[in-house]
mmCIF file of all heavy atoms in Angstrom:
data_model
loop_
_atom_site.group_PDB
_atom_site.id
_atom_site.type_symbol
_atom_site.label_atom_id
_atom_site.label_comp_id
_atom_site.label_asym_id
_atom_site.label_seq_id
_atom_site.Cartn_x
_atom_site.Cartn_y
_atom_site.Cartn_z
ATOM 1 N N ASN D 91 102.773 100.179 133.589
ATOM 2 C CA ASN D 91 103.331 99.648 134.928
ATOM 3 C C ASN D 91 103.956 98.257 134.760
ATOM 4 O O ASN D 91 103.470 97.522 134.021
ATOM 5 C CB ASN D 91 102.165 99.550 135.849
ATOM 6 C CG ASN D 91 102.207 100.421 137.035
ATOM 7 O OD1 ASN D 91 103.271 100.787 137.447
ATOM 8 N ND2 ASN D 91 101.197 100.714 137.579
ATOM 9 N N VAL D 92 105.048 98.058 135.554
ATOM 10 C CA VAL D 92 105.662 96.724 135.413
ATOM 11 C C VAL D 92 105.652 96.322 136.924
ATOM 12 O O VAL D 92 106.135 96.802 137.805
ATOM 13 C CB VAL D 92 107.013 96.794 134.912
ATOM 14 C CG1 VAL D 92 107.745 95.402 135.125
ATOM 15 C CG2 VAL D 92 107.049 97.088 133.592
ATOM 16 N N ARG D 93 104.851 95.054 137.114
ATOM 17 C CA ARG D 93 104.805 94.485 138.483
ATOM 18 C C ARG D 93 105.809 93.313 138.477
ATOM 19 O O ARG D 93 105.691 92.353 137.773
ATOM 20 C CB ARG D 93 103.448 93.856 138.677
ATOM 21 C CG ARG D 93 102.397 94.777 139.206
ATOM 22 C CD ARG D 93 101.131 94.143 139.572
ATOM 23 N NE ARG D 93 100.416 93.790 138.477
ATOM 24 C CZ ARG D 93 99.737 92.590 138.357
ATOM 25 N NH1 ARG D 93 99.612 91.725 139.379
ATOM 26 N NH2 ARG D 93 99.043 92.301 137.245
ATOM 27 N N PRO D 94 106.871 93.444 139.316
ATOM 28 C CA PRO D 94 107.917 92.324 139.363
ATOM 29 C C PRO D 94 107.122 91.007 139.937
ATOM 30 O O PRO D 94 106.309 91.078 140.780
ATOM 31 C CB PRO D 94 108.954 92.864 140.346
ATOM 32 C CG PRO D 94 108.700 94.234 140.481
ATOM 33 C CD PRO D 94 107.174 94.516 140.172
ATOM 34 N N LEU D 95 107.745 89.963 139.492
ATOM 35 C CA LEU D 95 107.189 88.626 139.962
ATOM 36 C C LEU D 95 107.915 88.052 141.177
ATOM 37 O O LEU D 95 109.122 88.263 141.249
ATOM 38 C CB LEU D 95 107.077 87.698 138.890
ATOM 39 C CG LEU D 95 105.918 87.618 137.859
ATOM 40 C CD1 LEU D 95 106.088 86.478 136.875
ATOM 41 C CD2 LEU D 95 104.745 87.423 138.569
ATOM 42 N N GLN D 96 107.281 87.402 142.015
ATOM 43 C CA GLN D 96 107.805 86.546 143.174
ATOM 44 C C GLN D 96 108.670 87.547 144.095
ATOM 45 O O GLN D 96 108.174 88.414 144.559
ATOM 46 C CB GLN D 96 108.636 85.388 142.555
ATOM 47 C CG GLN D 96 108.054 84.719 141.602
ATOM 48 C CD GLN D 96 107.006 83.610 141.905
ATOM 49 O OE1 GLN D 96 106.885 83.323 143.134
ATOM 50 N NE2 GLN D 96 106.404 82.910 141.056
ATOM 51 N N ASP D 97 110.050 87.155 144.130
ATOM 52 C CA ASP D 97 110.936 87.888 144.927
ATOM 53 C C ASP D 97 111.713 88.905 144.143
ATOM 54 O O ASP D 97 112.847 89.284 144.630
ATOM 55 C CB ASP D 97 111.866 86.930 145.678
ATOM 56 C CG ASP D 97 112.687 86.074 144.685
ATOM 57 O OD1 ASP D 97 112.250 85.910 143.539
ATOM 58 O OD2 ASP D 97 113.764 85.596 145.109
ATOM 59 N N ARG D 98 111.190 89.540 143.098
ATOM 60 C CA ARG D 98 111.838 90.481 142.181
ATOM 61 C C ARG D 98 111.451 91.867 142.634
ATOM 62 O O ARG D 98 110.339 92.121 143.179
ATOM 63 C CB ARG D 98 111.604 90.198 140.775
ATOM 64 C CG ARG D 98 112.281 88.951 140.174
ATOM 65 C CD ARG D 98 112.045 88.927 138.708
ATOM 66 N NE ARG D 98 112.698 87.610 138.167
ATOM 67 C CZ ARG D 98 112.069 86.500 138.192
ATOM 68 N NH1 ARG D 98 110.893 86.309 138.697
ATOM 69 N NH2 ARG D 98 112.748 85.440 137.637
ATOM 70 N N VAL D 99 112.384 92.845 142.328
ATOM 71 C CA VAL D 99 112.022 94.195 142.606
ATOM 72 C C VAL D 99 112.369 95.108 141.297
ATOM 73 O O VAL D 99 113.218 94.599 140.538
ATOM 74 C CB VAL D 99 112.843 94.716 143.827
ATOM 75 C CG1 VAL D 99 112.430 94.149 145.037
ATOM 76 C CG2 VAL D 99 114.327 94.674 143.532
ATOM 77 N N LEU D 100 111.748 96.167 141.253
ATOM 78 C CA LEU D 100 112.034 97.074 140.088
ATOM 79 C C LEU D 100 112.838 98.282 140.736
ATOM 80 O O LEU D 100 112.341 98.931 141.597
ATOM 81 C CB LEU D 100 110.751 97.481 139.349
ATOM 82 C CG LEU D 100 110.873 98.313 138.030
ATOM 83 C CD1 LEU D 100 111.425 97.383 136.936
ATOM 84 C CD2 LEU D 100 109.403 98.608 137.661
ATOM 85 N N VAL D 101 114.069 98.482 140.111
ATOM 86 C CA VAL D 101 114.854 99.603 140.702
ATOM 87 C C VAL D 101 115.267 100.596 139.641
ATOM 88 O O VAL D 101 115.429 100.349 138.507
ATOM 89 C CB VAL D 101 116.109 98.877 141.243
ATOM 90 C CG1 VAL D 101 117.056 99.832 141.811
ATOM 91 C CG2 VAL D 101 115.836 97.757 142.157
ATOM 92 N N LYS D 102 115.167 101.882 140.101
ATOM 93 C CA LYS D 102 115.768 102.944 139.277
ATOM 94 C C LYS D 102 117.151 103.293 139.727
ATOM 95 O O LYS D 102 117.295 103.790 140.826
ATOM 96 C CB LYS D 102 114.884 104.319 139.387
ATOM 97 C CG LYS D 102 115.388 105.469 138.872
ATOM 98 C CD LYS D 102 114.851 105.873 137.672
ATOM 99 C CE LYS D 102 115.529 107.014 136.964
ATOM 100 N NZ LYS D 102 116.301 106.729 135.671
ATOM 101 N N ALA D 103 118.177 103.015 138.906
ATOM 102 C CA ALA D 103 119.567 103.363 139.289
ATOM 103 C C ALA D 103 119.766 104.902 139.534
ATOM 104 O O ALA D 103 119.243 105.600 138.727
ATOM 105 C CB ALA D 103 120.518 102.735 138.392
ATOM 106 N N LEU D 104 120.415 105.202 140.617
ATOM 107 C CA LEU D 104 120.667 106.687 140.754
ATOM 108 C C LEU D 104 122.032 107.084 140.310
ATOM 109 O O LEU D 104 123.002 106.217 140.436
ATOM 110 C CB LEU D 104 120.689 107.032 142.311
ATOM 111 C CG LEU D 104 119.265 106.716 142.838
ATOM 112 C CD1 LEU D 104 119.283 107.045 144.410
ATOM 113 C CD2 LEU D 104 118.057 107.462 142.160
ATOM 114 N N GLU D 105 122.176 108.270 139.764
ATOM 115 C CA GLU D 105 123.592 108.585 139.305
ATOM 116 C C GLU D 105 124.490 108.818 140.532
ATOM 117 O O GLU D 105 124.131 109.374 141.524
ATOM 118 C CB GLU D 105 123.439 110.047 138.465
ATOM 119 C CG GLU D 105 122.669 109.772 137.298
ATOM 120 C CD GLU D 105 123.158 110.757 136.249
ATOM 121 O OE1 GLU D 105 124.138 111.361 136.381
ATOM 122 O OE2 GLU D 105 122.494 110.727 135.077
#
Side-chain angles (χ1 to χ4, degrees):
Chain D
N91 244 331
V92 173
R93 276 188 286 145
L95 272 184
Q96 317 276 357
D97 59 337
R98 287 187 185 82
V99 295
L100 191 62
V101 179
K102 165 106 189 109
L104 300 179
E105 297 212 4

